[in-house]
Structure formats: structure tokens, C-alpha cells
Amino acid sequence: MQRRHWLAIASATLAAAAAPALAQGYPNKVVKLVVPFAPGGTTDIVARVISEPLGKALGQSVIVENKAGGGGVIGATQTARATPDGYELGVATVSTTAANPAINPKIPYNPVTDFTPIVNIAATPNVIAVHPSFPAKDYKGFVAELKKNPGKYSYSSSGTGGIGHLQMELYKSLSGTFVTHIPYRGAGPALNDTVAGQVPMIFDNLPSALPFIKENRLVPIVVAAPQRLKELPNVPTFKEVGLEPVNRMAYYGIYGPKGLPKEVVDKIHDGVVKALQDPAVRRRIEDTGSLVVANKPDEFAAQIKAEYDVYKKVVDSARLKLD
């Protein structure tokens, strides 16, 4: 027994000593960044903007892998279960770390304890946009049309339990309207069907919807943002229309599984910060309507917990349930 006890201590000591050594050589192979949604949405856009300059900063390629399904749960679960060595990271979103866990009791991970937050890359506004064939083109007409025809219309989102779903359900409960939810496997497919007119409206993150808005293929109705956006100066915020609880922005950050060595976390964090110091990279993010954040790991961890707490209260007070 004594010998086994000392062997256990020796093994633990060797493992603890080896971790910093492994971290010092990090990375010595390709790093994978898992996007928990299909290509074409905001999460995918932000990941692909940051992956190349982050790879240059780290000295190894960073490849993006899309793992869609379950409103982001499948991809997030893969990140939570990854080996904590820094070679498989994930893009953290409000959908995967706050909205979905708040409404879905079957989520197989704890958003607060099962990840290692590293950095929030950007905060992005959200928007309700309609197909040009929709009878209303401004907020007043939009809400009047919905109230006049409860149940007639449907909306698309990036998936059940995602931020688009939960914020729209909150909007419905506060505005006294009813619209049917049509979930997709990411914002890309949801946008495609909305732009094609198969679904009359979408609740989406602005970066993925903005190109279609600029091309007049979608009409913006109301945005979740601190103030009116320079890209959409005539579109009111949810706060302006008296619905401040809906006026919440999304975030897009990088996290890994719990237990990532601090040295690895620091290298990834510093690599992202360095990438975001490049004016061209910042411009690509800001041109989508997003705001560059680049906060510290503990700040991002606190942000994730705070956002989860907010959406849990929203779900509980409004008694929201999955369809």
C-alpha cells in the first residue's frame, strides 16, 4: 500500500512537471477551432476572420471546423470533451454558453464549469429582419401586422435554444405577439431560406444578415444594440421601442475544455490580442457591425456566467420551454 501511495504521488508530480513543459512547446501542430454552427453565419464569419492571423501569431495553422446541430450543442459538447492540450478549441457564443443551457435541461455540459474561457473576440448586435415581400417595412407596421394576424407568420433562427430563438421568444412574450419558430442548423441555412422568401422573417446576428440588408434582400426592423447603428441609422433599438430586456448583444469568443494549462491559455489569448491589433483584421470585424472586445480570460469567464444568469432568469420568469 505504501509503495502504491508513493508511486501515485510520484506520477502526479511528474504529470504536474510535464504540463508546463508541454505548454512551453505549444503549439507544435495544427490547432482546430470548432464552430458549433453551419458555414455562413456570424460565428463562422468571426472564426474565419481570426483563424489566419491567430495562426500566424502562434506559428501554426489554425483550421476552422464546422460542427452544427442542436442549436450549437453538438459542437460545444465536442469542445467540452476535448483533450485539454490546446489543440482543439471552440468558438463560444451566447447560444451555446447562455441561451441554450438556460432553456434546455438536457444540455450535456455546464457552461460555467466545463470550459476554460480564453478571450471574447467581438460583441455583435442582433436584428429582426423581414423578406421584402412582408407587408410592413418599419417597426410600427411590423408589430401591428403581427398583432392583426397572430400565428400567420413564422421566423427562422440558427437553431432551437439559440440566441435568435430565445430573444425572439422573449420579444413575443413582451410584445404580445405570436410567430411560429422554424429552427435551422445554423444562421447560414436560416438566412438562405429567409432571403428566398420561404420564411418571412429572421432573428439573426447582424454580421451574417447585413450583406443581405445592404443588397435590399432583407429589410431590417429593429436591432439589439446599445444605440442606433451607423450601418442602419433609421432602424430603432429594442430599447427605443420599449423592450429593453430584449436589447442584448451577442458575443463570439474562444474557449477550450476545462483544465487547459495557464501557459496555453496565455499563448492563445496573447495571439488573439496580437491578431486584433492588425488594423485590417479589426476593420473586417467592425465592417460587419461588430465591436472588437479582446478581454482577459477572467473577464470573459465572468461575462459568460453573467449572461447565463440573465437568460436563466428570462426563461424562468417567462416560463419559456422548448417546442
Side-chain angles (χ1 to χ4, degrees):
M1 287 292 290
Q2 221 174 16
R3 183 170 180 273
R4 259 181 280 174
H5 176 69
W6 283 110
L7 281 173
I9 292 175
S11 298
T13 303
L14 285 171
L22 288 171
Q24 284 172 10
Y26 174 86
N28 56 26
K29 61 181 179 179
V30 171
V31 176
K32 183 163 64 177
L33 182 60
V34 175
V35 171
F37 298 104
T42 301
T43 314
D44 186 63
I45 292 170
V46 173
R48 293 183 189 278
V49 167
I50 201 67
S51 61
E52 185 179 350
L54 173 58
K56 288 180 180 177
L58 292 176
Q60 286 287 343
S61 296
V62 175
I63 60 168
V64 174
E65 176 185 281
N66 296 86
K67 195 76 174 179
V73 173
I74 292 175
T77 301
Q78 179 173 316
T79 300
R81 293 174 178 171
T83 302
D85 57 8
Y87 290 100
E88 184 168 327
L89 307 170
V91 180
T93 70
V94 174
S95 292
T96 54
T97 63
N100 219 324
I103 198 173
N104 187 353
K106 296 181 179 179
I107 293 285
Y109 58 81
N110 184 311
V112 177
T113 61
D114 287 347
F115 299 98
T116 302
I118 299 173
V119 59
N120 181 7
I121 300 166
T124 65
N126 302 306
V127 62
I128 292 179
V130 298
H131 186 267
S133 64
F134 192 80
K137 301 295 186 289
D138 59 21
Y139 181 75
K140 185 177 180 180
F142 172 78
V143 72
E145 179 68 18
L146 295 189
K147 289 188 174 182
K148 188 170 66 174
N149 298 287
K152 177 180 178 180
Y153 298 104
S154 58
Y155 75 96
S156 65
S157 82
S158 62
T160 299
I163 185 174
H165 174 210
L166 207 56
Q167 276 194 294
M168 187 65 170
E169 292 302 312
L170 176 59
Y171 169 77
K172 286 161 55 177
S173 69
L174 295 175
S175 63
T177 56
F178 178 72
V179 191
T180 303
H181 180 219
I182 309 293
Y184 286 79
R185 289 173 64 85
L191 275 163
N192 290 339
D193 275 9
T194 309
V195 170
Q198 295 180 36
V199 186
M201 69 187 76
I202 186 170
F203 197 120
D204 190 28
N205 306 126
L206 184 64
S208 45
L210 189 59
F212 298 103
I213 291 171
K214 288 181 175 178
E215 293 170 3
N216 297 316
R217 299 170 74 188
L218 287 176
V219 180
I221 297 297
V222 58
V223 296
Q227 58 272 324
R228 290 200 182 198
L229 304 170
K230 64 178 182 180
E231 296 86 0
L232 305 173
N234 299 319
V235 181
T237 66
F238 281 101
K239 182 177 180 180
E240 285 181 77
V241 300
L243 299 171
E244 188 169 4
V246 195
N247 207 49
R248 308 193 67 79
M249 296 193 21
Y251 54 68
Y252 298 91
I254 293 180
Y255 62 177
K258 67 179 178 182
L260 274 185
K262 183 180 184 301
E263 293 84 353
V264 171
V265 171
D266 290 344
K267 282 191 177 182
I268 298 165
H269 174 270
D270 293 349
V272 171
V273 171
K274 182 178 179 180
L276 292 173
Q277 288 172 348
D278 183 337
V281 175
R282 292 183 70 93
R283 187 163 57 250
R284 287 178 68 192
I285 291 175
E286 291 169 349
D287 283 350
T288 68
S290 302
L291 307 173
V292 172
V293 179
N295 59 3
K296 296 177 181 177
D298 59 338
E299 293 171 334
F300 190 29
Q303 186 177 11
I304 288 173
K305 185 180 186 308
E307 204 70 8
Y308 171 73
D309 290 344
V310 164
Y311 278 103
K312 194 71 178 74
K313 287 179 182 177
V314 166
V315 168
D316 292 344
S317 61
R319 297 182 180 180
L320 298 177
K321 296 184 182 297
L322 293 177
D323 297 335

